[in-house]
Amino acid sequence: MSDPSVHISTSLKQQIPATLAWKYRIFPKEELDGTLILFSDAANPEMIRKQLGVITGKKVQIERVSSSWIEDQLSRHYLRSKDNQVKSLHVDSDNFINEMIREANELGCSDIHIEKYQDRSRIRMRLDGKLVERYELQKEHYHEYVNKIKIISNLDIAEKRLPQDGRILIREHGAKFDIRVSVLPTLFGEKVVLRLLSSDASNLDIKDLGMNEAQLQTFLDAISHPQGMVLISGPTGSGKTTTLYGALKHLNKPVTNILTIEDPIEYTLEGINQVQLNEKVGLDFVATLRTFLRQDPDIIMVGEIRDVDTAQIAIRAAMTGHLVMSTLHTNSAWGIISRMVEMGIPEYLIADTMNIAVAQRLLRKLCPSCKRQETDTALLPEVLKRLDIPYYFQPVGCAECHRTGYKGRVAIYEMIAINDSNRKLILDGKDPADQYDKLLDSAVNNFIKGETSLEEIYSYLI
């Protein structure tokens, strides 16, 4: 067996639970006429065959393969939690939903996707920004799983025609799970996405987010002003809220009144007054911001500037002695300023109130246990060749990173600090492009330092 990337159906994989696979070091090949054909590196395959026959209730056939191949497939297809524990999870168990959420949390997943198609149903989990298929559900029971999720998230189980949003709070055995639920009607049934919120921000450190020394100092200078605006842009899931909470934790002092309005509240932090958006009862960004201004705040964090009204009130708050932090969906740091202008905010107000505009993205980090050094730079793109890089690192894959070659993610940033010279450029509508590092520069620096791969930064090079 020389091919390291075996494609196997999730339903077949589920016939051999993870605990069984790791204990007996077996991997399913196929099922033919009621016989389960398994790969194994066992020294005594006949004994394994008999034991597995009793456990599975099926005829079992063993094919010998190398230990390294088995290790590779088990690490790739039967993920283990961060503490290397392997648990057996059955989709038919009454407690499957809670166990699935716990497993996703232990693996470090950010989202769970529960999906129905014409011929099959499946569950995928997002690990380090990439979706991995974990379970296959029986089509006829799919609606039961969806209804269970709806019930525990206080959604209407009778409504199947409209999207619904809810929340799940699970507390058991000392563990706490805070999950945002989104239900979307699709052609073959309702799709459910569960987003696992990070909750506790007490261990969050702004110095660990990925900023280089110059960027960190620029950002700390910007948030240290008693008033003004700090705006961060990036696509969904790019770590904007994490950066904002890193800043709030840095500024959180007993003498400071910090108020936030969010949808949803992704972190909790002692000493900060947090408000959950609830548009159904009229608690939206605009109404809450107006109330905030009567609450004697020092710092206001708005989850997202979605419209002109929110932007105008945020600008007014920044002009009247408050530090306002928020996010926007744009492609670059300069795009934040352009977007504010498009919303009808005059350039002179932006120039006078904004402290810094930040754009960010997330890159997967190479697994430190298995990344491989490459000295052949001939295949690098021209933009990297010009830097005369002596070597770089590529992903390999090992048990530590579930054979993906990556472990964790790091943020990259571009920042426009609004100083006197930049204010004039804003008034003139000109991007001070030569005065700050771009996302490309940050991506390349991470590549040169060996923290990420060519694959991860390639989209910034073209």
Side-chain angles (χ1 to χ4, degrees), residues 83-325:
D83 57 4
N84 273 339
Q85 288 186 344
V86 181
K87 295 181 180 179
S88 186
L89 183 56
H90 299 286
V91 296
D92 296 326
S93 69
D94 293 335
N95 205 33
F96 172 69
I97 299 298
N98 287 12
E99 291 292 333
M100 176 186 65
I101 291 171
R102 185 179 295 106
E103 178 193 68
N105 185 67
E106 290 174 351
L107 290 172
C109 299
S110 60
D111 300 87
I112 302 170
H113 292 241
I114 305 170
E115 305 161 313
K116 190 173 190 295
Y117 300 97
Q118 185 170 7
D119 298 319
R120 63 191 294 256
S121 304
R122 67 179 179 180
I123 294 176
R124 294 187 293 171
M125 296 183 182
R126 190 174 292 279
L127 180 63
D128 288 337
K130 302 294 181 181
L131 284 169
V132 179
E133 187 169 321
R134 292 290 284 146
Y135 300 102
E136 187 166 298
L137 304 174
Q138 294 181 5
K139 277 201 314 176
E140 56 271 24
H141 298 310
Y142 180 83
H143 69 281
E144 295 177 15
Y145 294 104
V146 173
N147 284 343
K148 284 182 181 179
I149 293 171
K150 284 184 172 183
I151 289 168
I152 61 178
S153 54
N154 296 315
L155 297 179
D156 184 357
I157 63 172
E159 180 56 74
K160 301 181 185 298
R161 301 165 300 172
L162 296 173
Q164 296 188 70
D165 295 304
R167 199 178 192 118
I168 299 174
L169 291 171
I170 300 175
R171 292 181 177 88
E172 55 181 27
H173 309 304
K176 177 183 175 183
F177 305 100
D178 192 1
I179 302 106
R180 183 174 65 178
V181 181
S182 174
V183 181
L184 177 70
T186 66
L187 180 60
F188 298 108
E190 292 175 292
K191 173 183 169 72
V192 181
V193 175
L194 309 178
R195 166 153 288 191
L196 280 66
L197 304 178
S198 304
S199 294
D200 186 15
S202 60
N203 294 323
L204 194 60
D205 193 330
I206 197 170
K207 296 177 182 177
D208 298 331
L209 298 181
M211 300 178 193
N212 60 40
E213 290 185 13
Q215 289 174 336
L216 179 60
Q217 190 58 54
T218 298
F219 190 71
L220 291 177
D221 289 343
I223 66 175
S224 65
H225 290 290
Q227 66 184 59
M229 290 190 71
V230 174
L231 296 181
I232 301 178
S233 76
T236 301
S238 59
K240 301 185 296 295
T241 303
T242 301
T243 300
L244 283 178
Y245 264 90
L248 291 179
K249 182 172 183 288
H250 180 79
L251 297 169
N252 189 19
K253 303 289 190 299
V255 295
T256 304
N257 181 21
I258 301 176
L259 302 173
T260 77
I261 170 69
E262 304 167 69
D263 181 30
I265 296 172
E266 296 192 30
Y267 293 97
T268 57
L269 191 57
E270 183 75 24
I272 291 180
N273 304 281
Q274 299 169 270
V275 177
Q276 168 68 50
L277 193 74
N278 188 349
E279 293 182 335
K280 291 180 180 179
V281 298
L283 189 64
D284 56 17
F285 283 130
V286 175
T288 308
L289 266 175
R290 289 197 180 105
T291 304
F292 276 6
L293 295 178
R294 298 191 290 270
Q295 285 281 318
D296 187 31
D298 297 297
I299 299 169
I300 296 172
M301 195 271 269
V302 184
E304 181 184 347
I305 293 180
R306 296 177 178 174
D307 51 44
V308 177
D309 292 337
T310 308
Q312 288 176 340
I313 297 175
I315 285 280
R316 190 187 312 157
M319 291 173 62
T320 54
H322 307 93
L323 181 64
V324 179
M325 300 183 182

Side-chain angles (χ1 to χ4, degrees), residues 21 32 46 78 97 150 221 225 273 304 327 360 374 378 395 398 403 415 434 449-452 460:
L32 290 175
E46 183 60 24
Y78 290 100
I97 299 298
K150 284 184 172 183
D221 289 343
H225 290 290
N273 304 281
E304 181 184 347
T327 67
Q360 73 175 80
E374 296 281 358
C398 66
R403 301 292 166 180
M415 301 180 179
D434 58 344
K449 289 190 295 184
E451 292 187 1
T452 194
Y460 300 96

Side-chain angles (χ1 to χ4, degrees), residues 5 33 48 72 113 136 169 175 207 209 263 310 320 334 343 354 367 375 410 437:
S5 56
D33 301 323
I48 296 292
D72 184 89
H113 292 241
E136 187 166 298
L169 291 171
K207 296 177 182 177
L209 298 181
D263 181 30
T310 308
T320 54
W334 180 252
M343 285 182 168
M354 190 173 290
C367 174
T375 55
V410 64
D437 287 341

